[in-house]
Amino acid sequence: QIFLMNKKTIKESWKKLDKVFLILLILGIITGIIISVIGLSYLLENYFTRVMGAITGIIFIASILLIRKIKTTKNYLIGILGLALGIILSILSPTAGHEFNYLQVFFLGLITITAMILPGISGALILLLLGGYEFMINALKNINTEYYVAGTFIVGAIFGLAIFTRTINKLLKKHHDETMAFLSFLMLGAVTKPVLEILNTNNPESAIVYLVV
């Protein structure tokens, strides 16, 4: 039903969107982009395994802290579905260095911005999970020649905000605990992605100390 929304419905959703929230979100995205382009692009190029080790540790600890708040068997079962999805997406998603087409970049933007609306989960994690993190960092680093990639990503993000914001808010209001259980285990399943990236390198053992730290 969401995907069959007509133009009138999209316009109504856009009018009801919290503009202050949107501005703050955009400022946060811009800040994150600047930090990523300046710092993470260098780290990924020169210390890929160590960065992946640190990311694995951060995701693991964050997911465990959230999982500890789950109190019912029902929510644990819902969480297992999130765990399975995280593992499956990690295995099926492209590895570092994959080139995305315009349609894929559009959906990267749409899914990433949707994730940023959700508590407990970040857009960067979703980009990593979908195999698009390094691709987008490189595109932003070379924005003068790959501005069309950034533009496509932004268009996807705008569509995500216009279409999914109200739906997610309703979901969190009516099924908050179930949603958080699903997301918590999804994060845990997402650990599979950086682990696979580490195992594909020539020196996977160098990531261990950073994973522990």
Side-chain angles (χ1 to χ4, degrees), residues 56-67 79-80 82-87 90 120-121 125 129 181-195:
T56 301
I58 292 171
I59 296 174
F60 180 78
I61 293 299
S63 61
I64 293 300
L65 290 175
L66 290 171
I67 288 171
I80 297 301
L83 177 67
L85 179 61
I87 294 173
S90 296
I121 190 167
L125 172 62
L129 186 59
F182 182 86
L183 294 176
S184 301
F185 275 92
L186 177 66
M187 288 178 63
L188 184 60
V191 170
T192 307
K193 183 62 181 180
V195 169

Side-chain angles (χ1 to χ4, degrees), residues 132-146:
Y133 191 82
E134 188 175 0
F135 174 80
M136 288 308 303
I137 290 296
N138 290 331
L140 292 170
K141 184 180 179 181
N142 302 295
I143 191 70
N144 58 322
T145 58
E146 301 203 24

Side-chain angles (χ1 to χ4, degrees), residues 6-136:
N6 55 36
K7 293 181 180 179
K8 183 178 180 181
T9 305
I10 294 176
K11 287 181 180 179
E12 290 176 353
S13 299
W14 179 256
K15 288 180 181 179
K16 293 180 180 180
L17 187 65
D18 188 337
K19 302 302 188 299
V20 175
F21 168 77
L22 178 60
I23 293 172
L24 292 175
L25 184 61
I26 291 174
L27 289 175
I29 293 172
I30 293 173
T31 302
I33 288 173
I34 294 173
I35 294 174
S36 296
V37 172
I38 294 176
L40 286 181
S41 59
Y42 172 81
L43 293 174
L44 286 171
E45 288 178 6
N46 297 278
Y47 306 100
F48 182 81
T49 304
R50 297 173 185 178
V51 171
M52 285 295 127
I55 290 175
T56 301
I58 292 171
I59 296 174
F60 180 78
I61 293 299
S63 61
I64 293 300
L65 290 175
L66 290 171
I67 288 171
R68 290 177 61 185
K69 297 180 180 180
I70 300 175
K71 298 178 180 179
T72 67
T73 302
K74 173 189 173 183
N75 289 346
Y76 271 107
L77 293 175
I78 293 174
I80 297 301
L81 295 177
L83 177 67
L85 179 61
I87 294 173
I88 291 171
L89 287 176
S90 296
I91 294 173
L92 297 181
S93 64
T95 57
H98 175 79
E99 293 293 322
F100 290 80
N101 59 40
Y102 291 128
L103 183 61
Q104 290 173 326
V105 171
F106 174 85
F107 279 104
L108 279 178
L110 188 150
I111 297 171
T112 300
I113 201 69
T114 303
M116 294 181 73
I117 300 171
L118 295 167
I121 190 167
S122 70
L125 172 62
I126 293 299
L127 270 180
L128 180 67
L129 186 59
L130 297 176
Y133 191 82
E134 188 175 0
F135 174 80
M136 288 308 303

Side-chain angles (χ1 to χ4, degrees), residues 126-197:
I126 293 299
L127 270 180
L128 180 67
L129 186 59
L130 297 176
Y133 191 82
E134 188 175 0
F135 174 80
M136 288 308 303
I137 290 296
N138 290 331
L140 292 170
K141 184 180 179 181
N142 302 295
I143 191 70
N144 58 322
T145 58
E146 301 203 24
Y147 54 87
Y148 49 87
V149 175
T152 303
F153 186 89
I154 291 172
V155 171
I158 292 173
F159 267 82
L161 282 173
I163 296 173
F164 293 112
T165 302
R166 289 176 61 197
T167 303
I168 290 172
N169 285 336
K170 289 181 180 179
L171 183 64
L172 287 172
K173 287 181 180 179
K174 294 182 179 180
H175 307 285
H176 179 271
D177 292 345
E178 293 87 346
T179 302
M180 292 307 300
F182 182 86
L183 294 176
S184 301
F185 275 92
L186 177 66
M187 288 178 63
L188 184 60
V191 170
T192 307
K193 183 62 181 180
V195 169
L196 291 176
E197 296 285 1

